mmCIF file of all heavy atoms in Angstrom:
data_model
loop_
_atom_site.group_PDB
_atom_site.id
_atom_site.type_symbol
_atom_site.label_atom_id
_atom_site.label_comp_id
_atom_site.label_asym_id
_atom_site.label_seq_id
_atom_site.Cartn_x
_atom_site.Cartn_y
_atom_site.Cartn_z
ATOM 1 N N VAL A 151 27.074 20.183 -27.180
ATOM 2 C CA VAL A 151 27.016 18.728 -27.340
ATOM 3 C C VAL A 151 27.691 18.047 -26.153
ATOM 4 O O VAL A 151 27.177 17.066 -25.599
ATOM 5 C CB VAL A 151 27.691 18.307 -28.657
ATOM 6 C CG1 VAL A 151 27.880 16.789 -28.713
ATOM 7 C CG2 VAL A 151 26.876 18.781 -29.860
ATOM 8 N N ARG A 152 28.826 18.567 -25.759
ATOM 9 C CA ARG A 152 29.542 17.996 -24.608
ATOM 10 C C ARG A 152 28.689 18.107 -23.347
ATOM 11 O O ARG A 152 28.603 17.170 -22.553
ATOM 12 C CB ARG A 152 30.872 18.724 -24.426
ATOM 13 C CG ARG A 152 31.682 18.245 -23.243
ATOM 14 C CD ARG A 152 33.050 18.888 -23.189
ATOM 15 N NE ARG A 152 33.894 18.416 -24.280
ATOM 16 C CZ ARG A 152 35.180 18.728 -24.403
ATOM 17 N NH1 ARG A 152 35.744 19.534 -23.517
ATOM 18 N NH2 ARG A 152 35.895 18.255 -25.408
ATOM 19 N N ARG A 153 28.036 19.248 -23.163
ATOM 20 C CA ARG A 153 27.181 19.439 -21.995
ATOM 21 C C ARG A 153 26.019 18.448 -22.000
ATOM 22 O O ARG A 153 25.631 17.918 -20.955
ATOM 23 C CB ARG A 153 26.643 20.878 -22.005
ATOM 24 C CG ARG A 153 25.808 21.277 -20.823
ATOM 25 C CD ARG A 153 26.677 21.490 -19.599
ATOM 26 N NE ARG A 153 26.516 20.415 -18.638
ATOM 27 C CZ ARG A 153 27.317 20.231 -17.592
ATOM 28 N NH1 ARG A 153 28.360 21.019 -17.404
ATOM 29 N NH2 ARG A 153 27.108 19.238 -16.765
ATOM 30 N N TYR A 154 25.482 18.182 -23.188
ATOM 31 C CA TYR A 154 24.383 17.222 -23.328
ATOM 32 C C TYR A 154 24.821 15.843 -22.835
ATOM 33 O O TYR A 154 24.089 15.161 -22.106
ATOM 34 C CB TYR A 154 23.954 17.157 -24.788
ATOM 35 C CG TYR A 154 22.917 16.095 -25.088
ATOM 36 C CD1 TYR A 154 21.558 16.403 -25.097
ATOM 37 C CD2 TYR A 154 23.298 14.785 -25.376
ATOM 38 C CE1 TYR A 154 20.606 15.431 -25.367
ATOM 39 C CE2 TYR A 154 22.349 13.806 -25.646
ATOM 40 C CZ TYR A 154 21.008 14.143 -25.641
ATOM 41 O OH TYR A 154 20.087 13.170 -25.906
ATOM 42 N N VAL A 155 26.005 15.416 -23.244
ATOM 43 C CA VAL A 155 26.493 14.093 -22.848
ATOM 44 C C VAL A 155 26.704 14.020 -21.337
ATOM 45 O O VAL A 155 26.336 13.042 -20.684
ATOM 46 C CB VAL A 155 27.796 13.748 -23.597
ATOM 47 C CG1 VAL A 155 28.349 12.404 -23.129
ATOM 48 C CG2 VAL A 155 27.557 13.719 -25.108
ATOM 49 N N ILE A 156 27.275 15.068 -20.772
ATOM 50 C CA ILE A 156 27.517 15.103 -19.327
ATOM 51 C C ILE A 156 26.201 15.058 -18.563
ATOM 52 O O ILE A 156 26.061 14.337 -17.568
ATOM 53 C CB ILE A 156 28.323 16.367 -18.960
ATOM 54 C CG1 ILE A 156 29.748 16.262 -19.523
ATOM 55 C CG2 ILE A 156 28.374 16.569 -17.447
ATOM 56 C CD1 ILE A 156 30.552 17.536 -19.406
ATOM 57 N N ASP A 157 25.204 15.807 -19.040
ATOM 58 C CA ASP A 157 23.894 15.818 -18.375
ATOM 59 C C ASP A 157 23.174 14.480 -18.538
ATOM 60 O O ASP A 157 22.441 14.048 -17.648
ATOM 61 C CB ASP A 157 23.033 16.957 -18.923
ATOM 62 C CG ASP A 157 23.525 18.328 -18.476
ATOM 63 O OD1 ASP A 157 24.324 18.393 -17.524
ATOM 64 O OD2 ASP A 157 23.113 19.333 -19.088
ATOM 65 N N SER A 158 23.358 13.828 -19.686
ATOM 66 C CA SER A 158 22.773 12.494 -19.882
ATOM 67 C C SER A 158 23.363 11.509 -18.886
ATOM 68 O O SER A 158 22.642 10.713 -18.269
ATOM 69 C CB SER A 158 23.026 12.000 -21.309
ATOM 70 O OG SER A 158 22.283 12.744 -22.243
ATOM 71 N N LEU A 159 24.674 11.563 -18.735
ATOM 72 C CA LEU A 159 25.347 10.676 -17.785
ATOM 73 C C LEU A 159 24.850 10.915 -16.369
ATOM 74 O O LEU A 159 24.624 9.967 -15.604
ATOM 75 C CB LEU A 159 26.859 10.892 -17.865
ATOM 76 C CG LEU A 159 27.722 10.094 -16.877
ATOM 77 C CD1 LEU A 159 27.556 8.608 -17.095
ATOM 78 C CD2 LEU A 159 29.186 10.494 -17.009
ATOM 79 N N ALA A 160 24.643 12.180 -16.024
ATOM 80 C CA ALA A 160 24.192 12.520 -14.672
ATOM 81 C C ALA A 160 22.843 11.888 -14.358
ATOM 82 O O ALA A 160 22.603 11.430 -13.232
ATOM 83 C CB ALA A 160 24.112 14.042 -14.510
ATOM 84 N N LEU A 162 21.427 9.162 -15.965
ATOM 85 C CA LEU A 162 21.446 7.707 -16.075
ATOM 86 C C LEU A 162 22.203 7.053 -14.925
ATOM 87 O O LEU A 162 21.967 5.885 -14.611
ATOM 88 C CB LEU A 162 22.070 7.293 -17.415
ATOM 89 C CG LEU A 162 21.296 7.724 -18.669
ATOM 90 C CD1 LEU A 162 22.078 7.354 -19.917
ATOM 91 C CD2 LEU A 162 19.917 7.093 -18.697
ATOM 92 N N ARG A 163 23.094 7.804 -14.302
ATOM 93 C CA ARG A 163 23.855 7.241 -13.184
ATOM 94 C C ARG A 163 22.911 6.912 -12.030
ATOM 95 O O ARG A 163 22.143 7.745 -11.584
ATOM 96 C CB ARG A 163 24.938 8.215 -12.726
ATOM 97 C CG ARG A 163 25.769 7.704 -11.560
ATOM 98 C CD ARG A 163 26.923 8.621 -11.247
ATOM 99 N NE ARG A 163 28.033 8.389 -12.160
ATOM 100 C CZ ARG A 163 28.722 9.341 -12.779
ATOM 101 N NH1 ARG A 163 28.383 10.600 -12.593
ATOM 102 N NH2 ARG A 163 29.728 9.035 -13.571
ATOM 103 N N PRO A 168 26.711 -0.841 -13.208
ATOM 104 C CA PRO A 168 27.979 -0.365 -13.769
ATOM 105 C C PRO A 168 28.227 -0.874 -15.184
ATOM 106 O O PRO A 168 28.781 -0.154 -16.013
ATOM 107 C CB PRO A 168 29.015 -0.916 -12.782
ATOM 108 C CG PRO A 168 28.274 -1.039 -11.494
ATOM 109 C CD PRO A 168 26.878 -1.431 -11.878
ATOM 110 N N GLU A 170 25.930 -1.593 -17.400
ATOM 111 C CA GLU A 170 24.933 -1.041 -18.327
ATOM 112 C C GLU A 170 25.102 0.454 -18.563
ATOM 113 O O GLU A 170 24.618 0.983 -19.572
ATOM 114 C CB GLU A 170 23.527 -1.270 -17.762
ATOM 115 C CG GLU A 170 23.123 -2.717 -17.599
ATOM 116 C CD GLU A 170 21.866 -2.883 -16.759
ATOM 117 O OE1 GLU A 170 21.531 -1.943 -15.998
ATOM 118 O OE2 GLU A 170 21.225 -3.938 -16.862
ATOM 119 N N LEU A 171 25.785 1.149 -17.653
ATOM 120 C CA LEU A 171 25.793 2.610 -17.682
ATOM 121 C C LEU A 171 26.439 3.171 -18.943
ATOM 122 O O LEU A 171 25.849 3.999 -19.642
ATOM 123 C CB LEU A 171 26.508 3.153 -16.442
ATOM 124 C CG LEU A 171 26.594 4.685 -16.351
ATOM 125 C CD1 LEU A 171 25.202 5.300 -16.324
ATOM 126 C CD2 LEU A 171 27.392 5.102 -15.126
ATOM 127 N N LEU A 172 27.663 2.732 -19.236
ATOM 128 C CA LEU A 172 28.364 3.285 -20.389
ATOM 129 C C LEU A 172 27.625 3.025 -21.695
ATOM 130 O O LEU A 172 27.423 3.954 -22.488
ATOM 131 C CB LEU A 172 29.794 2.740 -20.449
ATOM 132 C CG LEU A 172 30.678 3.316 -21.562
ATOM 133 C CD1 LEU A 172 30.782 4.833 -21.439
ATOM 134 C CD2 LEU A 172 32.067 2.682 -21.524
ATOM 135 N N PRO A 173 27.169 1.783 -21.969
ATOM 136 C CA PRO A 173 26.394 1.575 -23.211
ATOM 137 C C PRO A 173 25.133 2.434 -23.278
ATOM 138 O O PRO A 173 24.761 2.909 -24.352
ATOM 139 C CB PRO A 173 26.033 0.082 -23.149
ATOM 140 C CG PRO A 173 27.102 -0.530 -22.301
ATOM 141 C CD PRO A 173 27.429 0.510 -21.270
ATOM 142 N N ALA A 174 24.480 2.663 -22.130
ATOM 143 C CA ALA A 174 23.258 3.472 -22.121
ATOM 144 C C ALA A 174 23.566 4.923 -22.488
ATOM 145 O O ALA A 174 22.850 5.550 -23.277
ATOM 146 C CB ALA A 174 22.595 3.411 -20.746
ATOM 147 N N VAL A 175 24.652 5.460 -21.936
ATOM 148 C CA VAL A 175 25.021 6.847 -22.242
ATOM 149 C C VAL A 175 25.456 6.963 -23.698
ATOM 150 O O VAL A 175 25.089 7.917 -24.396
ATOM 151 C CB VAL A 175 26.143 7.335 -21.302
ATOM 152 C CG1 VAL A 175 26.546 8.757 -21.642
ATOM 153 C CG2 VAL A 175 25.693 7.263 -19.852
ATOM 154 N N LEU A 176 26.252 6.007 -24.164
ATOM 155 C CA LEU A 176 26.700 6.043 -25.556
ATOM 156 C C LEU A 176 25.517 5.962 -26.519
ATOM 157 O O LEU A 176 25.521 6.603 -27.572
ATOM 158 C CB LEU A 176 27.672 4.891 -25.815
ATOM 159 C CG LEU A 176 29.029 4.981 -25.105
ATOM 160 C CD1 LEU A 176 29.849 3.725 -25.376
ATOM 161 C CD2 LEU A 176 29.791 6.224 -25.522
ATOM 162 N N HIS A 177 24.507 5.176 -26.150
ATOM 163 C CA HIS A 177 23.311 5.065 -26.995
ATOM 164 C C HIS A 177 22.614 6.418 -27.124
ATOM 165 O O HIS A 177 22.252 6.835 -28.237
ATOM 166 C CB HIS A 177 22.361 4.031 -26.402
ATOM 167 C CG HIS A 177 21.037 3.954 -27.103
ATOM 168 N ND1 HIS A 177 20.897 3.457 -28.385
ATOM 169 C CD2 HIS A 177 19.788 4.350 -26.706
ATOM 170 C CE1 HIS A 177 19.627 3.536 -28.748
ATOM 171 N NE2 HIS A 177 18.932 4.069 -27.756
ATOM 172 N N GLN A 178 22.434 7.102 -26.005
ATOM 173 C CA GLN A 178 21.785 8.417 -26.037
ATOM 174 C C GLN A 178 22.644 9.427 -26.797
ATOM 175 O O GLN A 178 22.126 10.239 -27.564
ATOM 176 C CB GLN A 178 21.524 8.910 -24.610
ATOM 177 C CG GLN A 178 20.501 8.087 -23.855
ATOM 178 C CD GLN A 178 19.132 8.078 -24.523
ATOM 179 O OE1 GLN A 178 18.765 8.997 -25.252
ATOM 180 N NE2 GLN A 178 18.365 7.025 -24.271
ATOM 181 N N ARG A 179 23.955 9.358 -26.581
ATOM 182 C CA ARG A 179 24.849 10.273 -27.289
ATOM 183 C C ARG A 179 24.773 10.063 -28.793
ATOM 184 O O ARG A 179 24.672 11.022 -29.572
ATOM 185 C CB ARG A 179 26.290 10.048 -26.809
ATOM 186 C CG ARG A 179 27.321 10.957 -27.488
ATOM 187 C CD ARG A 179 28.700 10.349 -27.464
ATOM 188 N NE ARG A 179 28.746 9.105 -28.219
ATOM 189 C CZ ARG A 179 29.828 8.338 -28.303
ATOM 190 N NH1 ARG A 179 30.919 8.673 -27.645
ATOM 191 N NH2 ARG A 179 29.799 7.232 -29.021
ATOM 192 N N ASP A 180 24.819 8.793 -29.221
ATOM 193 C CA ASP A 180 24.823 8.501 -30.653
ATOM 194 C C ASP A 180 23.501 8.873 -31.317
ATOM 195 O O ASP A 180 23.471 9.304 -32.463
ATOM 196 C CB ASP A 180 25.140 7.028 -30.883
ATOM 197 C CG ASP A 180 26.585 6.679 -30.512
ATOM 198 O OD1 ASP A 180 27.394 7.620 -30.383
ATOM 199 O OD2 ASP A 180 26.888 5.490 -30.344
ATOM 200 N N MET A 182 21.585 11.371 -30.394
ATOM 201 C CA MET A 182 21.619 12.824 -30.525
ATOM 202 C C MET A 182 22.564 13.242 -31.647
ATOM 203 O O MET A 182 22.244 14.106 -32.470
ATOM 204 C CB MET A 182 22.036 13.451 -29.196
ATOM 205 C CG MET A 182 22.126 14.967 -29.187
ATOM 206 S SD MET A 182 23.727 15.575 -29.740
ATOM 207 C CE MET A 182 24.801 14.897 -28.485
ATOM 208 N N LEU A 183 23.756 12.632 -31.732
ATOM 209 C CA LEU A 183 24.714 12.997 -32.769
ATOM 210 C C LEU A 183 24.180 12.656 -34.150
ATOM 211 O O LEU A 183 24.451 13.358 -35.122
ATOM 212 C CB LEU A 183 26.043 12.270 -32.527
ATOM 213 C CG LEU A 183 26.857 12.746 -31.319
ATOM 214 C CD1 LEU A 183 28.148 11.943 -31.212
ATOM 215 C CD2 LEU A 183 27.171 14.230 -31.404
ATOM 216 N N PRO A 229 32.191 9.189 -33.449
ATOM 217 C CA PRO A 229 32.343 10.609 -33.235
ATOM 218 C C PRO A 229 33.726 10.967 -32.726
ATOM 219 O O PRO A 229 34.432 10.145 -32.136
ATOM 220 C CB PRO A 229 31.287 10.916 -32.158
ATOM 221 C CG PRO A 229 31.069 9.619 -31.467
ATOM 222 C CD PRO A 229 31.274 8.559 -32.487
ATOM 223 N N ASN A 230 34.118 12.182 -32.977
ATOM 224 C CA ASN A 230 35.395 12.698 -32.499
ATOM 225 C C ASN A 230 35.431 12.642 -30.975
ATOM 226 O O ASN A 230 34.617 13.240 -30.303
ATOM 227 C CB ASN A 230 35.535 14.154 -32.988
ATOM 228 C CG ASN A 230 36.886 14.741 -32.665
ATOM 229 O OD1 ASN A 230 37.465 14.464 -31.624
ATOM 230 N ND2 ASN A 230 37.362 15.575 -33.558
ATOM 231 N N ARG A 231 36.385 11.931 -30.412
ATOM 232 C CA ARG A 231 36.426 11.746 -28.960
ATOM 233 C C ARG A 231 36.822 13.022 -28.227
ATOM 234 O O ARG A 231 36.638 13.120 -27.017
ATOM 235 C CB ARG A 231 37.417 10.633 -28.611
ATOM 236 C CG ARG A 231 36.921 9.254 -29.069
ATOM 237 C CD ARG A 231 35.726 8.811 -28.274
ATOM 238 N NE ARG A 231 35.222 7.530 -28.754
ATOM 239 C CZ ARG A 231 34.299 6.830 -28.139
ATOM 240 N NH1 ARG A 231 33.726 7.274 -27.062
ATOM 241 N NH2 ARG A 231 33.889 5.683 -28.630
ATOM 242 N N GLN A 232 37.420 14.009 -28.958
ATOM 243 C CA GLN A 232 37.709 15.269 -28.293
ATOM 244 C C GLN A 232 36.477 16.155 -28.244
ATOM 245 O O GLN A 232 36.314 16.939 -27.327
ATOM 246 C CB GLN A 232 38.860 15.987 -29.013
ATOM 247 C CG GLN A 232 40.215 15.352 -28.737
ATOM 248 C CD GLN A 232 41.292 16.023 -29.555
ATOM 249 O OE1 GLN A 232 41.607 15.615 -30.654
ATOM 250 N NE2 GLN A 232 41.864 17.063 -29.031
ATOM 251 N N ALA A 233 35.623 16.031 -29.253
ATOM 252 C CA ALA A 233 34.395 16.819 -29.260
ATOM 253 C C ALA A 233 33.408 16.294 -28.233
ATOM 254 O O ALA A 233 32.597 17.024 -27.691
ATOM 255 C CB ALA A 233 33.755 16.799 -30.650
ATOM 256 N N VAL A 234 33.469 14.978 -27.972
ATOM 257 C CA VAL A 234 32.562 14.337 -27.028
ATOM 258 C C VAL A 234 33.381 13.859 -25.834
ATOM 259 O O VAL A 234 34.412 13.231 -26.015
ATOM 260 C CB VAL A 234 31.847 13.140 -27.695
ATOM 261 C CG1 VAL A 234 30.918 12.458 -26.708
ATOM 262 C CG2 VAL A 234 31.068 13.617 -28.906
ATOM 263 N N PRO A 235 32.972 14.157 -24.606
ATOM 264 C CA PRO A 235 33.800 13.849 -23.446
ATOM 265 C C PRO A 235 33.943 12.368 -23.171
ATOM 266 O O PRO A 235 33.101 11.561 -23.555
ATOM 267 C CB PRO A 235 33.050 14.532 -22.298
ATOM 268 C CG PRO A 235 31.635 14.573 -22.742
ATOM 269 C CD PRO A 235 31.699 14.776 -24.235
ATOM 270 N N HIS A 236 35.041 12.029 -22.470
ATOM 271 C CA HIS A 236 35.246 10.654 -22.014
ATOM 272 C C HIS A 236 34.182 10.315 -20.983
ATOM 273 O O HIS A 236 33.826 11.135 -20.154
ATOM 274 C CB HIS A 236 36.637 10.532 -21.388
ATOM 275 C CG HIS A 236 36.859 9.212 -20.704
ATOM 276 N ND1 HIS A 236 36.929 8.022 -21.387
ATOM 277 C CD2 HIS A 236 37.000 8.911 -19.389
ATOM 278 C CE1 HIS A 236 37.129 7.035 -20.528
ATOM 279 N NE2 HIS A 236 37.178 7.540 -19.320
ATOM 280 N N LEU A 237 33.662 9.105 -21.056
ATOM 281 C CA LEU A 237 32.603 8.686 -20.158
ATOM 282 C C LEU A 237 33.141 7.653 -19.181
ATOM 283 O O LEU A 237 33.432 6.522 -19.568
ATOM 284 C CB LEU A 237 31.433 8.090 -20.955
ATOM 285 C CG LEU A 237 30.842 9.035 -21.995
ATOM 286 C CD1 LEU A 237 29.795 8.316 -22.808
ATOM 287 C CD2 LEU A 237 30.267 10.268 -21.341
ATOM 288 N N PRO A 238 33.311 8.014 -17.915
ATOM 289 C CA PRO A 238 33.878 7.085 -16.950
ATOM 290 C C PRO A 238 32.897 5.986 -16.591
ATOM 291 O O PRO A 238 31.693 6.152 -16.655
ATOM 292 C CB PRO A 238 34.149 7.981 -15.727
ATOM 293 C CG PRO A 238 33.130 9.062 -15.830
ATOM 294 C CD PRO A 238 32.961 9.305 -17.317
ATOM 295 N N GLY A 239 33.438 4.836 -16.197
ATOM 296 C CA GLY A 239 32.610 3.736 -15.721
ATOM 297 C C GLY A 239 32.386 3.850 -14.225
ATOM 298 O O GLY A 239 32.698 4.863 -13.607
ATOM 299 N N CYS A 240 31.825 2.808 -13.611
ATOM 300 C CA CYS A 240 31.580 2.798 -12.185
ATOM 301 C C CYS A 240 32.153 1.531 -11.604
ATOM 302 O O CYS A 240 32.397 0.563 -12.305
ATOM 303 C CB CYS A 240 30.068 2.839 -11.897
ATOM 304 S SG CYS A 240 29.225 4.240 -12.603
#
Side-chain angles (χ1 to χ4, degrees):
V151 169
R152 178 174 291 186
R153 184 74 253 168
Y154 174 94
V155 177
I156 292 171
D157 289 344
S158 291
L159 177 61
L162 296 175
R163 180 173 280 134
E170 297 167 340
L171 180 60
L172 184 58
V175 179
L176 292 176
H177 173 69
Q178 293 300 334
R179 180 205 63 183
D180 291 344
M182 179 274 297
L183 289 180
N230 186 324
R231 291 292 177 171
Q232 286 175 268
V234 179
H236 171 67
L237 303 175
C240 303

